[in-house]
């Protein structure tokens, strides 16, 4: 009772000091002396306390664990490389000496040495819109971990802010002169530069595929697409939009004075001494400024190998047999962002040998492949797909890759190349493999030319992959499985569907993505249907007889193997 009276009469002490006095670990006068010393030295009470040696970091942690009924954690026993990144601003972690351990639902599990710090709790809640559950750790170990994390982030940031961007100063000056404004001085605004670099670094560390910078009337929003899902990351001041757009346009070699029409560009970023990441940049004029989308193009993705893409053994065999043939056309189809480019580059990587001449026409060339002659389209200069293809045919090619067949002329030249001894790889935007053939027919290609040139079509989607660390068995009724497309033989109880849970190592129960493929070889029977101008439905029925799974069927196979969830497949495929 006396201890309690003492605490009440010392309102100036922070919560940690009062807790230690109540626990009998520190005298009232000693606590007040340490508090005054901390104030005069402009340090924290806990830093002064542990630095003075009055209470050891270990004793303090045990006392706080008991006083606040919070679990005690030995930081030396955890793998710091597996701690989640990007959940909380590093400045907050450094200021309050805290480390985020994991995320559970809408709450963060945070390690601290001072669970009485209400200011830290409020900062976390305001910054993340999530609740906080404290875990107690020793202050000295916590400080070392926070400092190590801050140093790593600082080094990474400096590596970006240095000469990592392939930035041409003469381009900036020319753009500035053309625009007739402050130009370089605007785009070199330090806070804007650092903000952009931080966003690029965060996007890469979070394995994002795209960054969206979106201006509105009174707000500005930055979103990342992570595992196919857009997530809001930051809301910088709306005043930043002009300078940020100018900075991005200069390093992407665009015209900073042109704000009325869309523009495309590219930039590079070094991640370490031997790794370079390319970014494809697109601007779009909107009502309140230019929306900018940056696509991350990681060259290593093209070198993962076909096994890493998620093909089933029979699908892989069909695709490899097709691309090893000396001539014909292989088409990859699917919506934007379904991984078509990575599939094509993976095939090119397999075919890229010293004795083979490969030429590609792309808009733009996305991933650099040494040994492949890559040509980026330039409509303003008159370099279109059809012009490039005509030139390729005079360059003694063995393999031609066309980024996308968009019009009749490009389709006709591609088919002619496939019929005259070249292997042609290309993409189309259709819903599935059978619809691709009727799409070519609707473009004006004669049935005979389609049947004699196309040898295989791959339709694909990307589904989020379940996190192996936290996925859990799902109790799904038999009727629901049958409605989704499973056969009676499939729901015999011999396998277990899984559902997402969510942990510190994933995004809401998912981590990464896996491809879903419908690989359809053009057999003699399908050729006959094409020649008699049959419908996509007839082609699909014949393909099914020949063992070709639909996209839904291929997705359900991934559900059976536990790679993804049923709701994810239902969301990205049709029956």
């Amino acid at each position: 009772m006396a201890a309690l009276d003492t605490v009440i009469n010392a309102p100036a002490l922070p919560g940690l000091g009062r807790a230690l006095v109540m626990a009998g670990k520190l005298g009232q006068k000693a606590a007040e002396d340490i508090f005054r010393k901390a104030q005069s030295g402009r340090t924290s009470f806990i830093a002064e306390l542990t630095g003075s040696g009055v209470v050891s970091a270990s004793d303090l942690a045990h006392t706080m664990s008991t006083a606040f009924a919070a679990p005690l954690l030995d930081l030396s026993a955890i793998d710091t490389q597996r701690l989640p990144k990007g959940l909380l601003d590093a400045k907050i972690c450094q200021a309050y000496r805290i480390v985020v351990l994991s995320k559970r639902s809408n709450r963060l599990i945070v390690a601290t040495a001072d669970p009485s710090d209400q200011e830290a709790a409020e900062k976390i809640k305001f910054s993340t819109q999530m609740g906080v559950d404290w875990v107690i750790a020793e202050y000295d170990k916590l400080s070392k971990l926070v400092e190590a994390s801050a140093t790593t982030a600082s080094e990474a940031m400096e590596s970006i802010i240095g000469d990592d961007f392939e930035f041409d100063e003469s381009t900036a000056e020319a753009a500035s002169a053309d625009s007739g404004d402050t130009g370089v001085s605007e785009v070199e605004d330090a806070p804007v530069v650092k903000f952009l670099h931080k966003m690029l670094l965060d996007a890469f560390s979070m394995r994002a595929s795209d960054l969206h910078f979106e201006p509105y009337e009174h707000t500005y929003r930055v979103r990342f697409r992570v595992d196919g899902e857009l997530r809001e990351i930051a809301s910088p001041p709306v005043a930043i939009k002009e300078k940020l757009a100018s900075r991005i346009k200069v390093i992407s070699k665009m015209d900073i004075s042109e704000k009325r029409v869309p523009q495309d560009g590219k930039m590079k970023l070094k991640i370490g001494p031997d790794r370079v990441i390319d970014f494809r940049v697109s601007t779009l004029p909107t009502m309140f400024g230019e929306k900018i989308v940056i696509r991350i193009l990681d060259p290593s993705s093209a070198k993962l190998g076909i096994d890493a893409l998620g093909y089933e053994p029979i699908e892989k065999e069909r695709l490899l047999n097709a691309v090893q043939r000396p001539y014909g056309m292989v088409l990859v189809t699917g919506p934007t962002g379904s991984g078509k480019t990575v599939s094509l580059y993976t095939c090119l990587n397999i075919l890229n040998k010293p004795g083979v001449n490969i030429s590609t026409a792309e808009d733009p060339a996305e991933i650099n492949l040494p040994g492949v002659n890559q040509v980026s389209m330039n409509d303003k200069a008159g370099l279109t797909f059809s012009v490039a293809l005509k030139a390729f045919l005079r360059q003694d090619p063995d393999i031609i890759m066309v980024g996308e067949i968009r019009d009749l002329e490009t389709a006709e030249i591609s088919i002619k190349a496939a019929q005259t001894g070249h292997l042609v790889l290309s993409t189309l935007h259709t819903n599935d493999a059978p619809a691709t053939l009727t799409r070519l027919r609707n473009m004006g290609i004669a049935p005979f030319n389609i049947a004699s040139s196309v040898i295989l079509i791959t339709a694909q989607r990307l589904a989020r992959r379940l996190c192996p660390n936290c996925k859990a068995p799902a109790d799904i009724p038999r009727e629901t499985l049958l409605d989704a497309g499973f056969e009676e033989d499939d729901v015999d109880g011999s396998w277990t569907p899984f559902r997402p849970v969510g942990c510190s190592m994933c995004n809401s129960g998912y981590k990464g993505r896996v491809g879903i493929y419908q690989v359809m070889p053009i057999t003699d029977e399908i050729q006959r249907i094409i020649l008699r101008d049959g419908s996509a439905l007839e082609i699909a029925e014949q393909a099914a007889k020949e063992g070709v799974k639909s996209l839904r069927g291929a997705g359900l196979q991934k559900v059976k193997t536990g790679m993804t969830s049923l709701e994810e497949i239902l969301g990205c495929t049709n029956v």
Side-chain angles (χ1 to χ4, degrees):
M1 193 67 179
L4 182 59
D5 292 337
T6 306
V7 173
I8 293 171
N9 293 326
L13 280 179
L16 179 65
R18 296 198 298 272
L20 287 170
V21 171
M22 288 185 69
K25 295 291 183 180
L26 196 62
Q28 175 71 24
K29 186 176 184 309
E32 290 176 353
D33 288 344
I34 292 172
F35 182 52
R36 277 193 292 271
K37 195 172 181 182
Q39 283 186 315
S40 62
R42 294 188 177 182
T43 60
S44 66
F45 178 82
I46 190 171
E48 193 65 43
L49 175 71
T50 53
S52 66
V54 176
V55 178
S56 69
S58 176
D59 198 13
L60 175 64
H62 282 84
T63 303
M64 291 299 100
S65 177
T66 303
F68 289 88
L72 183 64
L73 174 69
D74 182 3
L75 288 177
S76 61
I78 66 171
D79 182 1
T80 57
Q81 297 299 318
R82 301 182 72 175
L83 289 174
K85 296 177 176 62
L87 292 177
L88 185 61
D89 192 325
K91 289 182 180 178
I92 296 177
C93 295
Q94 198 167 7
Y96 296 99
R97 288 297 191 265
I98 53 178
V99 171
V100 178
L101 300 174
S102 65
K103 175 188 170 189
R104 185 182 299 134
S105 186
N106 65 338
R107 300 188 69 81
L108 291 181
I109 315 301
V110 183
T112 183
D114 182 6
S116 68
D117 193 342
Q118 289 301 313
E119 184 180 336
E122 291 302 321
K123 278 275 187 183
I124 297 171
K125 289 176 185 176
F126 181 78
S127 175
T128 65
Q129 302 300 306
M130 288 187 277
V132 181
D133 290 330
W134 293 124
V135 171
I136 309 302
E138 294 172 38
Y139 183 74
D140 53 351
K141 293 180 181 178
L142 199 57
S143 295
K144 286 179 183 177
L145 179 56
V146 170
E147 288 299 332
S149 301
T151 302
T152 304
S154 176
E155 289 172 353
M157 187 68 73
E158 285 181 12
S159 75
I160 297 176
I161 294 174
D163 297 325
D164 294 336
F165 280 106
E166 295 191 352
F167 175 55
D168 186 351
E169 295 291 345
S170 62
T171 304
E173 290 171 8
S176 168
D178 291 343
S179 64
D181 56 21
T182 53
V184 175
S185 64
E186 276 194 9
V187 299
E188 291 299 334
D189 187 273
V192 173
V193 172
K194 291 180 179 178
F195 176 75
L196 174 60
H197 293 163
K198 183 182 186 307
M199 289 297 99
L200 292 173
L201 181 65
D202 287 351
F204 181 76
S205 65
M206 292 171 68
R207 307 185 314 277
S209 60
D210 301 88
L211 298 83
H212 292 240
F213 297 88
E214 301 169 318
Y216 299 99
E217 186 173 10
H218 302 296
T219 58
Y220 194 77
R221 179 171 68 174
V222 181
R223 294 191 292 174
F224 293 172
R225 189 176 292 278
V226 181
D227 294 337
E229 196 172 54
L230 276 173
R231 299 168 55 189
E232 186 166 343
I233 300 299
S235 297
V238 72
I240 200 176
K241 65 181 181 182
E242 296 292 344
K243 291 181 179 180
L244 185 61
S246 294
R247 173 66 181 171
I248 293 172
K249 286 161 78 173
V250 165
I251 57 179
S252 304
K253 298 185 179 179
M254 299 182 197
D255 182 359
I256 64 171
S257 64
E258 183 56 80
K259 302 176 183 179
R260 300 164 298 176
V261 296
Q263 295 188 67
D264 294 299
K266 289 183 71 174
M267 59 186 181
K268 292 178 181 287
L269 172 66
K270 291 179 185 175
I271 303 291
D274 303 317
R275 191 171 187 186
V276 178
I277 304 299
D278 290 323
F279 296 88
R280 188 181 74 197
V281 185
S282 172
T283 69
L284 179 70
T286 66
M287 284 181 65
F288 303 106
E290 289 178 285
K291 175 181 176 179
I292 299 173
V293 176
I294 300 178
R295 167 69 58 89
I296 299 176
L297 308 170
D298 188 354
S300 62
S301 62
K303 300 175 184 177
L304 292 173
I306 196 166
D307 292 319
L309 300 183
Y311 283 91
E312 298 294 329
I314 189 166
E315 295 167 350
K316 172 185 169 184
E317 183 183 356
R318 288 170 180 164
L319 180 61
L320 290 178
N321 287 342
V323 299
Q324 297 292 350
R325 289 170 67 170
Y327 57 86
M329 180 181 281
V330 175
L331 295 172
V332 180
T333 182
T336 302
S338 60
K340 300 188 298 296
T341 300
V342 171
S343 293
L344 283 178
Y345 274 103
T346 301
C347 292
L348 288 179
N349 212 42
I350 294 169
L351 299 170
N352 188 14
K353 296 173 183 174
V356 179
N357 180 18
I358 304 175
S359 296
T360 73
E362 304 167 72
D363 187 19
E366 295 188 352
I367 299 173
N368 179 33
L369 278 182
V372 175
N373 307 294
Q374 296 173 271
V375 179
S376 289
M377 299 302 95
N378 187 340
D379 290 340
K380 288 182 181 179
L383 181 55
T384 61
F385 281 115
S386 57
V387 170
L389 283 172
K390 288 174 184 176
F392 287 170
L393 295 176
R394 296 191 291 271
Q395 294 273 319
D396 185 31
D398 297 303
I399 299 167
I400 296 171
M401 194 269 270
V402 184
E404 184 184 344
I405 294 177
R406 297 175 180 173
D407 53 53
L408 176 59
E409 186 179 10
T410 304
E412 285 180 334
I413 300 171
S414 300
I415 284 175
K416 188 180 293 182
Q419 291 172 330
T420 54
H422 308 93
L423 180 65
V424 179
L425 310 178
S426 189
T427 70
L428 268 177
H429 287 279
T430 58
N431 287 327
D432 60 10
T436 305
L437 296 168
T438 54
R439 167 82 176 117
L440 289 172
R441 185 73 188 91
N442 291 338
M443 289 175 71
I445 306 297
F448 168 78
N449 286 330
I450 298 172
S452 63
S453 60
V454 181
I455 56 176
L456 180 132
I457 301 171
T458 296
Q460 63 183 68
R461 298 289 188 278
L462 286 178
R464 290 181 294 171
R465 191 191 294 263
L466 282 168
C467 173
N469 186 57
C470 66
K471 67 179 183 181
D475 184 16
I476 302 176
R478 174 188 175 89
E479 293 74 19
T480 304
L481 294 174
L482 293 172
D483 289 343
F486 283 106
E487 301 292 337
E488 287 284 350
D489 295 342
D490 293 325
V491 291
D492 55 5
S494 61
W495 58 277
T496 303
F498 287 88
R499 61 179 176 83
V501 177
C503 67
S504 61
M505 299 173 63
C506 65
N507 296 306
S508 304
Y510 295 97
K511 186 176 183 181
R513 290 192 284 178
V514 63
I516 301 168
Y517 303 95
Q518 180 188 29
V519 183
M520 186 179 79
I522 307 303
T523 61
D524 292 343
E525 271 307 314
I526 292 178
Q527 282 184 335
R528 292 188 183 97
I529 296 173
I530 296 169
L531 287 170
R532 68 168 188 265
D533 214 6
S535 67
L537 185 59
E538 291 177 81
I539 296 169
E541 289 174 352
Q542 180 59 37
K545 290 177 185 176
E546 296 171 0
V548 176
K549 283 188 172 71
S550 65
L551 280 168
R552 171 60 64 85
L556 295 179
Q557 182 63 32
K558 296 290 192 292
V559 175
K560 284 185 70 174
T561 56
M563 282 191 186
T564 189
S565 63
L566 181 61
E567 61 256 40
E568 181 69 10
I569 295 303
L570 296 178
C572 66
T573 63
N574 290 331
V575 177

